[in-house]
Amino acid sequence: MKLPDSSRFQLTEDLNICRILNGMWQVSGAHGRINATVAIESMFKYLDAGYTTWDLADHYGPAEDFIGEFRRQLIATRGQEALSQVQALTKWVPRPGKMTKSIVEKNIDISRQRMGVDCLDLLQFHWWDYRDQNYLDALNYLTELQIAGKIKHLALTNFDTEHLKIIVENGIKIVSNQVQFSLIDRRPLAKMTAFCQNHNIKLLPYGVVCGGFLSEKYLNKSELNGFSLETVSLKKYKNMIDAWGGWSLFQTLLKTLNAIAQKHHVTIANIAIRYILEEPTVAGTMVGTRLGISEHIEDNAKVFEFNLDSEDYQNINSVLSQSHDLIQIIGDCGDEYR
């Protein structure tokens, strides 16, 4: 199995990514124990299938170390040139406070060392507290490190539209923003996508299958309570479903998606991912990888074998129109973290 050309996206002139990114949040420790040896073996399976792009962070447990070891084994078994096939997009999530060039450079150097790279492909920056405007100093120092050759491209994660605008107005070049975006959480459509379209900024959504809720597994199932939610992801996205419209409306959505999935001979998760990939400014979507525990390599490939038609959109949107406006309940993208 090899993914088709339609699975690729030219994010920048020198950074071509897979449109399904391997999300490594699930190796951070909150989703069960990960065996490092088995995890690295699994990473080779993803690479060989065409899933070449990894999304990680400095605080995702051993994620950066996994990339470093994966790269070392790739060189040892396939040669230095094989590294050109891999894209690793990491994040820096500092505690708010005074930012100096020394602090910024020290942390970026740690990520470079852990990942075994001279230059980070894409550094996605997050800031917890907008009241502390030191985030602009941090981004300016990151720009200096970009000029120095330690970072190829700067990006953001979970910034809202207002502060993305401030960053752009300060002359900082941002290529993407990673935000939650799914059939359940369509907040980016309110303000974010229009701004990104106007400034050539792409979105890299996560949460597109709501931690697995958007699947046949939960179709026609009774509502789950906190004790039966096995992972942090399930707890998080169950709260999102509750705010969106509740379990009954969610079941209506799953039934609608299931009918569309059967029509296209794919799965509910395929429909959920395809829907977001077809949204404006979306370059690719995160799909969590529980390395060595569960794999969806062949199933996810079906995302690139079909397109949603006007009837599909009409049926999906008729359900979504009955839901609550999450931007009124939660706020703009990323506001749930602040």
Side-chain angles (χ1 to χ4, degrees):
M1 187 203 79
K2 193 72 174 179
L3 295 180
D5 291 343
S6 60
S7 69
R8 309 300 302 182
F9 188 90
Q10 198 69 39
L11 185 61
T12 69
E13 288 185 3
D14 59 354
L15 187 56
N16 184 280
I17 66 171
C18 180
R19 297 201 75 197
I20 292 183
L21 294 88
N22 306 314
M24 297 186 75
W25 178 43
Q26 297 193 21
V27 308
S28 64
H31 297 80
R33 182 174 174 81
I34 300 290
N35 181 298
T37 301
V38 176
I40 303 300
E41 291 173 356
S42 182
M43 291 173 76
F44 277 92
K45 294 179 183 178
Y46 279 91
L47 175 64
D48 290 340
Y51 300 95
T52 66
T53 310
W54 300 86
D55 178 77
L56 49 148
D58 61 336
H59 64 294
Y60 287 5
E64 291 187 337
D65 302 311
F66 280 4
I67 289 293
E69 180 58 26
F70 176 54
R71 285 171 53 85
R72 284 187 286 273
Q73 292 190 25
L74 195 59
I75 293 171
T77 58
R78 304 185 184 183
Q80 187 78 26
E81 65 277 2
L83 291 178
S84 63
Q85 302 171 6
V86 178
Q87 307 82 45
L89 321 181
T90 195
K91 303 180 188 73
W92 180 40
V93 185
R95 292 182 179 179
K98 182 175 176 57
M99 290 286 116
T100 65
K101 185 174 182 179
S102 176
I103 290 173
V104 175
E105 188 165 23
K106 177 182 177 181
N107 282 277
I108 296 308
D109 285 345
I110 290 172
S111 289
R112 289 169 56 239
Q113 290 161 10
R114 291 178 70 189
M115 294 168 64
V117 299
D118 294 325
C119 181
L120 301 176
D121 290 330
L122 185 76
L123 191 281
Q124 302 169 99
F125 176 74
H126 176 76
W127 192 256
W128 293 105
D129 187 358
Y130 293 139
R131 294 170 299 178
D132 184 340
Q133 297 188 10
N134 284 304
Y135 69 89
L136 289 172
D137 291 334
L139 282 164
N140 280 315
Y141 290 129
L142 288 170
T143 300
E144 291 183 18
L145 295 179
Q146 185 180 17
I147 294 169
K150 292 189 174 185
I151 302 169
K152 282 185 183 178
H153 302 286
L154 286 181
L156 302 172
T157 183
N158 284 318
F159 268 80
D160 64 13
T161 311
E162 177 186 350
H163 292 86
L164 176 57
K165 183 173 183 287
I166 291 171
I167 290 166
V168 170
E169 288 176 344
N170 273 268
I172 299 167
K173 173 62 176 174
I174 296 298
V175 301
S176 64
N177 187 20
Q178 186 175 144
V179 295
Q180 186 169 287
F181 196 1
S182 69
L183 285 162
I184 299 299
D185 184 1
R186 298 193 298 158
R187 287 177 295 161
L189 295 174
K191 295 184 285 187
M192 180 69 69
T193 54
F195 181 84
C196 288
Q197 280 182 303
N198 290 335
H199 294 85
N200 194 29
I201 297 171
K202 302 303 179 184
L203 294 179
L204 295 174
Y206 65 90
V208 290
V209 294
C210 294
F213 272 118
L214 288 168
S215 68
E216 287 78 4
K217 181 178 179 180
Y218 296 96
L219 178 64
N220 296 321
K221 291 296 192 298
S222 300
E223 184 168 4
L224 285 76
N225 59 37
F227 295 105
S228 56
L229 299 172
E230 299 172 353
T231 68
V232 171
S233 288
L234 289 175
K235 291 181 174 67
K236 171 183 177 178
Y237 293 113
K238 175 56 167 61
N239 289 335
M240 195 64 61
I241 290 168
D242 291 344
W244 170 80
W247 196 252
S248 177
L249 183 60
F250 181 64
Q251 285 299 314
T252 301
L253 177 61
L254 286 182
K255 290 172 185 176
T256 301
L257 296 177
N258 188 52
I260 297 171
Q262 291 181 353
K263 166 185 165 182
H264 291 286
H265 307 289
V266 295
T267 65
I268 289 175
N270 293 153
I271 301 297
I273 296 169
R274 186 75 228 174
Y275 185 96
I276 298 303
L277 281 176
E278 292 183 3
E279 292 290 352
T281 78
V282 171
T285 65
M286 311 295 150
V287 177
T289 52
R290 299 182 72 185
L291 295 172
I293 296 178
S294 62
E295 295 177 352
H296 302 281
I297 290 175
E298 293 187 10
D299 181 59
N300 288 337
K302 297 175 184 176
V303 167
F304 304 108
E305 297 176 357
F306 73 101
N307 293 294
L308 296 171
D309 59 34
S310 58
E311 181 184 29
D312 299 333
Y313 272 99
Q314 183 177 356
N315 291 334
I316 292 171
N317 292 334
S318 68
V319 180
L320 299 183
S321 66
Q322 302 173 52
S323 65
H324 300 144
D325 183 357
L326 289 183
I327 205 163
Q328 297 296 325
I329 298 171
I330 301 172
D332 199 5
C333 302
D335 282 358
E336 63 269 32
Y337 299 109
R338 297 177 175 88

